[in-house]
Amino acid sequence: MATSRCAILAVMSNQGDGPTLVEAICELPGVTLAAPAPLREVERVEAYAGARLPSAHRALLLSSNGAISNWGYERLFGVGDGAEDIGPWNAYETWKFAWPRQLEDFLAFGQTGWGDQYAYRLSELQRGVETVHRLDHFMMEAADEPVATGFGEFLLGFASSAGKPDGRVQEARRQIGDLDPGQLAVYAPSPLLVGLERATHLTKMYSRAVMVTNGDMLAQLGDQTHETRRVERLDTFLDDLGRHRVKVRWAR
């Protein structure tokens, strides 16, 4: 992986000629890269965030407008109007509305195949702090230790793990195969409802539906757990704004 590391460092430090991330990892198995992003789209995201993206992040987007590795189980969002581009994905009405957590301060720019979010805190980014946080896909809470102190460090880790799936990804690929853009892997039933030890069956769902469903379940579970109250089923419905939601039905 030494070549990839050198190429990424070149992207981080060299806006002109020289090797790029695209050249470094485009031939690795399980990796998909995009065409460069227009500068205007990068600047539009920065206007939305009220802060300039880290220089290494800008360089990546201007080299490849998003990246997917490990056959869809690790991904970095692009910029533009796509459903999983940074701006639309972070809009409150996309999925954050369903969560009991206050998530407006987080700008997600990537995710795992299960829906863990890689994100900046806007309040930090606006002060020039580039710390990358990982939000757990069940709780949407940032881990005590950040993923990286900056995007450059994060990008090195992303590239070094490309094409080298861990055991969890290998098992998921065995069960459900690769993930297409816009898909996430989910356990059915959810570990939130039955516990981790009973959650073994994987399936695929659209990313937005997964995020809304997880938020709805967490909001309704509150302090309850699968050990203190049994769930009978999940019902889907349209709320007053016409959004697809999930209702937890408790066993009597």
Side-chain angles (χ1 to χ4, degrees):
M1 279 304 201
T3 302
S4 296
R5 181 180 177 86
C6 292
I8 293 167
L9 290 172
V11 169
M12 292 160 51
S13 61
N14 185 355
Q15 299 296 311
D17 297 332
T20 67
L21 175 66
V22 174
E23 295 168 338
I25 69 172
C26 66
E27 299 300 327
L28 291 177
V31 173
T32 303
L33 298 166
L39 177 60
R40 67 179 181 277
E41 293 295 342
V42 177
E43 292 175 338
R44 187 154 69 108
V45 163
E46 291 176 330
Y48 170 83
R52 185 180 174 92
L53 293 175
S55 58
H57 199 164
R58 281 180 130 245
L60 169 68
L61 292 168
L62 295 172
S63 178
S64 175
N65 189 24
I68 294 173
S69 75
N70 287 329
W71 296 271
Y73 288 87
E74 292 283 340
R75 60 191 74 167
L76 301 181
F77 302 146
V79 291
D81 295 320
E84 287 195 0
D85 285 331
I86 294 174
W89 183 250
N90 283 277
Y92 179 77
E93 283 300 315
T94 301
W95 58 270
K96 292 181 179 180
F97 68 89
W99 285 81
R101 312 279 188 234
Q102 294 298 311
L103 299 174
E104 289 85 351
D105 191 36
F106 288 102
L107 183 74
F109 63 80
Q111 65 182 351
T112 70
W114 285 266
D116 306 292
Q117 302 294 302
Y118 298 118
Y120 304 115
R121 283 189 184 273
L122 287 174
S123 56
E124 293 178 342
L125 199 60
Q126 289 160 1
R127 293 185 283 108
V129 177
E130 303 177 1
T131 302
V132 177
H133 303 275
R134 177 170 171 153
L135 308 180
D136 173 79
H137 65 289
F138 284 136
M139 307 301 291
M140 276 298 115
E141 292 180 335
D144 292 337
E145 293 295 325
V147 175
T149 57
F151 188 81
E153 179 186 341
F154 171 83
L155 188 57
L156 290 175
F158 180 86
S160 67
S161 65
K164 298 188 298 184
D166 60 21
R168 186 185 187 198
V169 171
Q170 291 177 19
E171 173 58 22
R173 291 188 70 216
R174 187 190 67 78
Q175 286 196 45
I176 61 174
D178 303 347
L179 292 177
D180 292 332
Q183 291 182 330
L184 292 176
V186 295
Y187 288 100
S190 169
L192 281 174
L193 305 180
V194 300
L196 287 172
E197 69 282 355
R198 294 181 58 194
T200 57
H201 176 70
L202 277 172
T203 188
K204 298 178 183 179
M205 286 179 59
Y206 288 114
S207 301
R208 181 181 180 276
V210 174
M211 302 304 291
V212 172
T213 298
N214 285 352
D216 276 343
M217 286 192 297
L218 183 65
Q220 293 171 70
L221 287 170
D223 294 332
Q224 301 286 338
T225 71
H226 68 282
E227 296 175 337
T228 59
R229 193 171 185 185
R230 189 168 65 85
V231 173
E232 181 176 283
R233 69 180 189 274
L234 295 178
D235 290 340
T236 59
F237 69 98
L238 294 178
D239 67 12
D240 293 341
L241 298 178
R243 302 176 299 200
H244 290 274
R245 309 295 297 275
V246 169
K247 175 69 175 178
V248 177
R249 296 296 184 185
W250 304 101
R252 295 184 181 278

